[in-house]
Amino acid sequence: MQPDVLVVGAGFAGMYAIYRFRKQGLNVQVLEAGSDVGGTWYWNRYPGARCDVPSLEYSFGFSEELEQEWDWPEVFSAQPDILRYANHIADRFNLREHIRFNTRVTGVAYDEETRLWRLQTDTGESFSAPYCVMATGCLSVPNRPALPGAASFAGLELHTALWPKEDVDLSGKRVGIIGTGSSGVQAIPELAKAAEHLYVFQRTPVYTVPANRKAMRDAVQREFKDNYGAIRDMQQNNAGGVSNFRPQRSVEAARRNPMDGPGAESKIKALTPAERKAVLKARGLETLLGFRDVYTDPEANEIANELFRDAVRELVDDAETAEALLPKDYGLGCKRQVLDRDYYATFNRDNVTLVDLRATPIEAVTPDGITTSAQRYPLDVLIYATGFDAMTGALLKANITGRGGQTLNDKWRVGPVAYLGLQMRGFPNLFTVTGPGSPSVLCNMLVAIEQHVNWIGDCIDYLQTNHIDSIEPTEQAEQDWIAHVNEVAEGTMYTAPSCNSWYLGANIPGKPRIFMPYVGGYPQYKARCDNAAREGYSGFELKRSA
Ligand code: N01
């Protein structure tokens, strides 16, 4: 039977889409390249992988039973526990029967005559449906830089985002890792424990602060569960989709809010140099992230950057290594904040060497290692922790062709053009979940996913009820939305001229430099989406066939 909706991807977005669309009576077919559910958490199995949002918040709110029955072992969960959660959801809600695994979508084309989306797969099959939802994730296309000689490496080559399911034995091995973003920073301390020697090939030093590494206490979990209704409401009213709920019952007053830092209203410039040092000493490096002016005032930003550098100089024994680990040409708040467990201490180990690629660039990958301008590093294992073609990568890779034969790659040649990160003009009835121009990666992803899938589900319901055949944004609505997305990002550290982040596409050679996520806040964004729907889908063109 022809499905009503084709969904690409069985990560959390695709999984919730099955639950939501099925509930409203739609026949859903999901196509997934992996052999099981979980998306990001299925692919990123590298040692040390974990989430940077507390698990009681980074969890679905659509089912009270699910909220109450699931227990998290840690405050910030590791990848295996999040994948277990995904599997539990798939089992509990019988999602797998709607998913075709090991099936990669290779083409997505609109047939104007039948008004159907036709999807081709690498298994040689073809699927059609009136609606298509791209639930392909924001960080799902691994970036592998084109290093000279890369293909010649004869040892074991790995990418953090394509880590094997089987254990990788690194004992007695000389391991090299390229990249010191979130993935590299999480993996490096673990790899150092497993390898005979670890060489860290670093091009850009990172600002990283210690992660919360607490085990979950039963009383805290109980208190969250007792308050989940209010917590979900609080998430809806927070810019980043997190409630920041603080347990009262289960935490003694004296120990309450240890991570709260200086409070959102404080300014680092309002403190004297001695006060700044005292606050940092008492509360730790992560305190710097709590000062509001650090994100908007370049002078305040540099004060915080310098305090950060001083702290790293104290943490790393070897002065030359410490100096190479200091970010000096961009500020805190430009990139996604990285959290670590013992990152700087790892460079005090005898079996870890930092290779500063700015001083001595990679000249070539050879069959037996890496050669820099200074020396040869023989390696048994080479790990790429080199990130992703973020936000647009998976959509462009899917070969999407819309009305009149227009391809998405053509439409987005100078940057992603979309309305609310939900739809693109010229691609009727095609929806994106957490697409560019939506809060997406700046928001708790599970909150963002539920909001988008609910909106899409309601939209399809509206179209069916009103016998409308197609929906797509107007050109004006797209242009106005992009102007607004750019306007709210201006003047933040995210778009500072010194900032080169994947938010801006700056990590991919040739990618247009555009700030892709919506920084105006989740509640403001959701209100825009809800208003459009309430006004009969204002900003969209709705068509009935003759
Ligand atoms: O990727 P990145 P990531 N030669 O792009 C380096 C999420 N995430 O996978 O900056 C040498 O941040 C590159 O150097 P440079 C999270 O949202 C979350 O680490 O381009 N080096 C950089 O050091 C995160 O932000 C979690 O100079 C090269 C690194 O590779 C996002 O995923 C955990 C190079 C890439 O860093 C991406 O993080 C993991 C080259 N040719 C990921 N090319 C958590 O929840 C690239 N690099 C905690």
Side-chain angles (χ1 to χ4, degrees), residues 54 57 224 231 234-235 238 240-247 257 260:
E57 304 251 15
F224 262 85
I231 288 169
M234 288 156 81
Q235 289 179 333
N238 175 273
V242 287
S243 75
N244 290 319
F245 173 79
R246 299 293 176 204
N257 303 353
D260 273 2

Side-chain angles (χ1 to χ4, degrees), residues 23-265:
K23 205 168 160 191
Q24 68 190 76
L26 299 173
N27 183 354
V28 192
Q29 177 66 61
V30 176
L31 304 172
E32 164 59 50
S35 67
D36 211 337
V37 296
T40 285
W41 304 103
Y42 169 91
W43 297 104
N44 288 264
R45 297 164 187 257
Y46 60 86
R50 62 176 62 238
C51 190
D52 56 0
V53 178
S55 294
L56 285 159
E57 304 251 15
Y58 188 90
S59 58
F60 277 129
F62 66 79
S63 158
E64 273 181 37
E65 293 78 20
L66 175 65
E67 280 176 347
Q68 294 302 321
E69 75 200 8
W70 185 259
D71 287 331
W72 293 104
E74 291 183 274
V75 175
F76 286 74
S77 289
Q79 174 272 335
D81 290 318
I82 304 174
L83 190 57
R84 237 176 4 94
Y85 177 67
N87 276 278
H88 171 72
I89 293 169
D91 295 339
R92 190 190 198 290
F93 298 106
N94 295 321
L95 303 183
R96 284 195 181 81
E97 63 194 53
H98 297 269
I99 308 173
R100 198 62 97 79
F101 291 109
N102 303 306
T103 304
R104 184 177 288 281
V105 171
T106 52
V108 178
Y110 187 58
D111 182 329
E112 286 178 61
E113 236 163 70
T114 57
R115 291 190 302 275
L116 293 175
W117 281 96
R118 288 196 198 289
L119 275 55
Q120 306 293 333
T121 71
D122 64 353
T123 53
E125 291 162 291
S126 150
F127 297 82
S128 304
Y131 303 101
C132 178
V133 176
M134 300 300 289
T136 41
C138 296
L139 295 160
S140 47
V141 176
N143 168 42
R144 196 180 287 257
L147 298 171
S152 72
F153 185 64
L156 175 64
E157 189 186 284
L158 299 166
H159 194 295
T160 45
L162 296 170
W163 201 265
K165 286 183 189 157
E166 308 74 40
D167 276 349
V168 180
D169 182 10
L170 298 177
S171 53
K173 302 270 170 41
R174 296 159 303 178
V175 178
I177 181 166
I178 303 175
T180 52
S182 296
S183 305
V185 165
Q186 287 185 334
I188 285 163
E190 299 304 317
L191 297 171
K193 287 180 216 159
E196 180 183 294
H197 200 98
L198 181 68
Y199 297 91
V200 177
F201 294 91
Q202 171 199 270
R203 187 164 66 182
T204 306
V206 62
Y207 291 98
T208 170
V209 302
N212 175 329
R213 43 209 297 177
K214 288 192 193 128
M216 183 68 76
R217 292 198 299 121
D218 288 346
V220 169
Q221 185 140 246
R222 183 72 266 144
E223 197 171 340
F224 262 85
K225 288 185 179 184
D226 290 347
N227 288 283
Y228 250 139
I231 288 169
R232 298 301 180 195
D233 287 344
M234 288 156 81
Q235 289 179 333
Q236 293 299 314
N237 291 306
N238 175 273
V242 287
S243 75
N244 290 319
F245 173 79
R246 299 293 176 204
Q248 298 293 314
R249 254 187 3 235
S250 48
V251 178
E252 304 153 32
R255 289 176 48 213
R256 209 166 281 153
N257 303 353
M259 296 293 284
D260 273 2
E265 291 312 307

Side-chain angles (χ1 to χ4, degrees), residues 191-499:
L191 297 171
K193 287 180 216 159
E196 180 183 294
H197 200 98
L198 181 68
Y199 297 91
V200 177
F201 294 91
Q202 171 199 270
R203 187 164 66 182
T204 306
V206 62
Y207 291 98
T208 170
V209 302
N212 175 329
R213 43 209 297 177
K214 288 192 193 128
M216 183 68 76
R217 292 198 299 121
D218 288 346
V220 169
Q221 185 140 246
R222 183 72 266 144
E223 197 171 340
F224 262 85
K225 288 185 179 184
D226 290 347
N227 288 283
Y228 250 139
I231 288 169
R232 298 301 180 195
D233 287 344
M234 288 156 81
Q235 289 179 333
Q236 293 299 314
N237 291 306
N238 175 273
V242 287
S243 75
N244 290 319
F245 173 79
R246 299 293 176 204
Q248 298 293 314
R249 254 187 3 235
S250 48
V251 178
E252 304 153 32
R255 289 176 48 213
R256 209 166 281 153
N257 303 353
M259 296 293 284
D260 273 2
E265 291 312 307
S266 350
K267 294 185 170 184
I268 201 164
K269 277 168 82 175
L271 302 182
T272 64
E275 284 169 339
R276 289 170 197 151
K277 284 199 171 146
V279 168
L280 206 64
K281 194 165 178 215
R283 295 175 186 255
L285 210 47
E286 57 272 38
T287 310
L288 292 173
L289 310 177
F291 293 102
R292 192 164 43 102
D293 52 349
V294 166
Y295 301 97
T296 50
D297 177 346
E299 209 180 302
N301 187 260
E302 191 46 29
I303 291 170
N305 301 340
E306 202 41 44
L307 284 164
F308 184 96
R309 292 175 197 127
D310 284 345
V312 175
R313 288 183 182 107
E314 283 185 20
L315 291 168
V316 178
D317 296 343
D318 177 62
E320 202 181 318
T321 303
E323 217 46 37
L325 284 167
L326 305 181
K328 289 187 182 151
D329 53 7
Y330 71 101
L332 277 160
C334 139
K335 304 191 186 204
R336 170 113 180 172
Q337 185 55 51
V338 178
L339 306 179
D340 71 87
R341 296 182 166 213
D342 304 325
Y343 181 65
Y344 292 112
T346 298
F347 292 93
N348 295 335
R349 295 174 64 110
D350 291 339
N351 72 331
V352 176
T353 304
L354 180 70
V355 182
D356 180 356
L357 297 180
R358 292 212 169 153
T360 58
I362 293 177
E363 287 190 339
V365 178
T366 59
D368 64 349
I370 284 184
T371 304
T372 68
S373 61
Q375 72 177 83
R376 236 183 93 239
Y377 294 91
L379 300 172
D380 305 303
V381 182
L382 176 55
I383 299 170
Y384 289 88
T386 42
F388 303 88
D389 185 353
M391 302 206 61
T392 54
L395 294 168
L396 293 176
K397 215 179 155 194
N399 294 315
I400 303 177
T401 308
R403 206 162 20 81
Q406 185 191 24
T407 65
L408 188 64
N409 296 50
D410 257 349
K411 183 176 168 89
W412 284 7
R413 197 161 294 284
V414 292
V417 180
Y419 183 40
L420 297 168
L422 275 165
Q423 267 215 306
M424 289 78 72
R425 177 158 186 82
F427 300 82
N429 295 356
L430 180 96
F431 299 89
T432 53
V433 181
T434 64
S438 76
S440 59
V441 289
L442 299 182
C443 184
N444 179 348
M445 280 310 279
L446 272 70
V447 170
I449 284 169
E450 282 192 66
Q451 184 253 333
H452 261 196
V453 172
N454 289 339
W455 192 95
I456 295 166
D458 288 345
C459 177
I460 293 175
D461 188 47
Y462 180 88
L463 300 180
Q464 290 188 325
T465 308
N466 293 285
H467 309 290
I468 295 163
D469 294 311
S470 75
I471 182 168
E472 62 183 296
T474 65
E475 206 172 319
Q476 189 64 46
E478 278 188 338
Q479 293 307 326
D480 290 350
W481 182 249
I482 289 165
H484 176 61
V485 170
N486 289 334
E487 183 193 322
V488 289
E490 254 173 50
T492 65
M493 289 312 292
Y494 288 127
T495 54
S498 59
C499 187

